[in-house]
Amino acid sequence: MMSRTVFIRNLADLPKGMGFKVINGDETIDVIRTDDNQVLAIGNVCPGCGFPLSDGWVCGTDVVCAKRNERFNATTGVMTDGGINVDPQILDKHLRVPTYPVKVEDGKVYLTVKH
């Protein structure tokens, strides 16, 4: 499968501590801007409940699912907290969402996606 890099938004239009949904064919991607200005992208579907991660919130480099408080690190895609449904002693570190390359150039945010 080929990939392409696409302009998605001006950095000034992406509020810190928030994410927004990008649609690429049949997949959705959550692009976030952290409080320290990192721009990251992960799959937008929580694997635990199917809820859109873009409806949640950003905490550091983690994205928190609004439905069950599951947390996913946006740099690795790995679940860092199981939220209300997973005992911390049995947290599945292998549960993850995909991550996507993002770059910021001249105040513009670009996302690399497969097509």
Side-chain angles (χ1 to χ4, degrees):
M1 190 173 283
M2 304 275 300
S3 64
R4 63 189 169 127
T5 301
V6 295
F7 167 76
I8 54 170
R9 185 172 276 197
N10 290 319
L11 182 62
D13 297 331
L14 181 57
K16 289 182 181 180
M18 302 206 43
F20 74 98
K21 177 173 66 173
V22 174
I23 298 172
N24 178 50
D26 61 353
E27 70 180 335
T28 60
I29 300 165
D30 185 21
V31 178
I32 68 164
R33 182 178 180 189
T34 66
D35 286 334
D36 65 353
N37 280 321
Q38 293 182 72
V39 180
L40 305 164
I42 63 171
N44 191 40
V45 178
C46 176
C49 67
F51 206 71
L53 292 174
S54 59
D55 288 349
W57 57 94
V58 177
C59 184
T61 57
D62 285 354
V63 175
V64 183
C65 177
K67 186 169 185 179
R68 299 192 329 190
N69 293 331
E70 295 162 334
R71 292 172 72 130
F72 297 89
N73 183 286
T75 59
T76 64
V78 173
M79 178 188 274
T80 58
D81 186 337
I84 61 174
N85 294 304
V86 178
D87 182 327
Q89 299 297 323
I90 58 169
L91 179 63
D92 184 358
K93 295 285 187 184
H94 301 290
L95 191 60
R96 64 178 58 229
V97 292
T99 59
Y100 300 85
V102 178
K103 69 178 178 177
V104 178
E105 255 181 28
D106 298 323
K108 298 184 183 310
V109 180
Y110 297 89
L111 175 66
T112 300
V113 294
K114 294 178 181 170
H115 69 102

